[in-house]
Amino acid sequence: LVDHEVAGIRPGYINQEIVKIAFWELGLAENYFCVDSDAVFVRPLHRDDFMFDATTPYTVLVEDNELKVEPRYYMQHWQGREPQLRKIQQLVGLQDRRVLTCHGHQIFSARVLKSLKDDFMEPRGWSYEDLLEQAPYEFTWYNMWLQKARIIPIEIREPLVKVFHHEEQELEHALRGITNADIARGYVALVVNSNYARTWGDHSEATSLEMALARYVPLTTLAKAFVRKGWDWVTRSLRG
């Protein structure tokens, strides 16, 4: 572990990345699923959620195009993230026009991580700190090395966890009336990014529309919307 910034990131954040990609060295599991501390599970879990067969874990790989087209996500995350992912792709020698990876919640294979360390890191004299100094994206190091080395069969799954990266995404779900029960049809858990939601407490129940509006829509905007709705009603009444 480290006691200093790596790639301009505080040691606490880097250390949780190291823990994720070094856990296999304890020899406790052949495959393991990394869970964010702010994840809320929305349905019971089953082995089949994570394993293609008795020995092969699913691999979560997506291009995230639906996120890339969001102006806010693009400005806050994508423009800084994509060059780092491309750098990892180049360093491992993976030739692919696509950027296939995931934000998190990957099922890690100990075999793949051992190969990453033995066949990629050690020949370069790299520690986990050195790896993350190049690009601080632990899940993408795993994903890109797996696609390059093909240590295990790649059986693709879409993300298992629904992530709200910013409050507008959560507000959209509330506007559409999507509940945690609805989310459970497609995911095992949800994560509300604590960077914006740490003050709002428990998310074990879906955020109601009223609560989302109160949290994320400025009072001035709500007031303008109220006035506009009243004006529209008056106009329609006069026309009628």
Side-chain angles (χ1 to χ4, degrees):
L1 300 178
V2 302
D3 59 2
H4 53 271
E5 287 191 354
V6 173
I9 299 174
R10 64 188 186 278
Y13 192 91
I14 291 296
N15 284 334
Q16 60 89 20
E17 293 191 340
I18 292 174
V19 167
K20 289 173 183 175
I21 55 175
F23 180 79
W24 68 272
E25 296 196 33
L26 297 177
L28 298 176
E30 294 179 3
N31 308 287
Y32 57 97
F33 182 60
C34 292
V35 184
D36 278 355
S37 60
D38 46 5
V40 174
F41 287 94
V42 293
R43 66 170 174 83
L45 309 178
H46 303 281
R47 181 185 180 89
D48 290 348
D49 291 319
F50 309 99
M51 299 295 294
F52 174 75
D53 57 29
T55 59
T56 309
Y58 284 115
T59 302
V60 177
L61 291 176
V62 288
E63 291 187 78
D64 279 332
N65 287 322
E66 78 285 356
L67 291 175
K68 183 166 57 175
V69 302
E70 284 191 19
R72 182 171 178 182
Y73 178 89
Y74 181 78
M75 293 295 295
Q76 291 184 350
H77 302 287
W78 188 267
Q79 291 187 98
R81 182 172 177 256
E82 184 180 20
Q84 294 290 303
L85 306 188
R86 286 291 187 191
K87 181 179 181 181
I88 296 173
Q89 197 177 46
Q90 180 182 23
L91 285 168
V92 302
L94 177 63
Q95 302 295 322
D96 197 327
R97 292 176 59 189
R98 304 164 298 174
V99 178
L100 289 169
T101 185
C102 64
H103 275 271
H105 305 101
Q106 182 63 273
I107 306 108
F108 278 149
S109 161
R111 288 177 56 195
V112 174
L113 289 169
K114 185 177 188 303
S115 173
L116 175 64
K117 184 176 183 181
D118 293 348
D119 303 326
F120 180 79
M121 294 167 57
E122 289 189 352
R124 292 163 174 78
W126 285 5
S127 64
Y128 290 115
E129 176 186 345
D130 297 322
L131 192 75
L132 298 173
E133 182 70 58
Q134 294 292 323
Y137 291 90
E138 74 279 21
F139 292 102
T140 300
W141 279 110
Y142 173 89
N143 288 332
M144 296 300 185
W145 182 250
L146 171 57
Q147 291 171 79
K148 170 64 176 178
R150 303 279 170 162
I151 303 301
I152 61 173
I154 298 177
E155 301 294 347
I156 295 178
R157 282 212 72 168
E158 293 185 4
L160 292 159
V161 177
K162 172 63 182 177
V163 178
F164 295 115
H165 296 278
H166 53 76
E167 56 266 42
E168 290 171 8
Q169 293 177 337
E170 188 177 4
L171 178 59
E172 178 190 359
H173 267 59
L175 286 168
R176 294 162 63 189
I178 297 174
T179 67
N180 284 9
D182 298 318
I183 291 174
R185 291 195 295 270
Y187 302 92
V188 302
L190 66 89
V191 165
V192 178
N193 190 326
S194 59
N195 288 331
Y196 78 83
R198 66 175 69 252
T199 60
W200 297 121
D202 182 29
H203 280 81
S204 58
E205 297 297 330
T207 302
S208 67
L209 176 57
E210 295 81 5
M211 187 180 296
L213 290 171
R215 286 178 177 176
Y216 305 132
V217 180
L219 185 59
T220 54
T221 302
L222 289 174
K224 290 177 181 178
F226 180 78
V227 171
R228 179 58 192 237
K229 191 169 184 67
W231 177 253
D232 287 346
W233 180 82
V234 170
T235 303
R236 288 196 303 270
S237 298
L238 291 174
R239 288 173 180 171

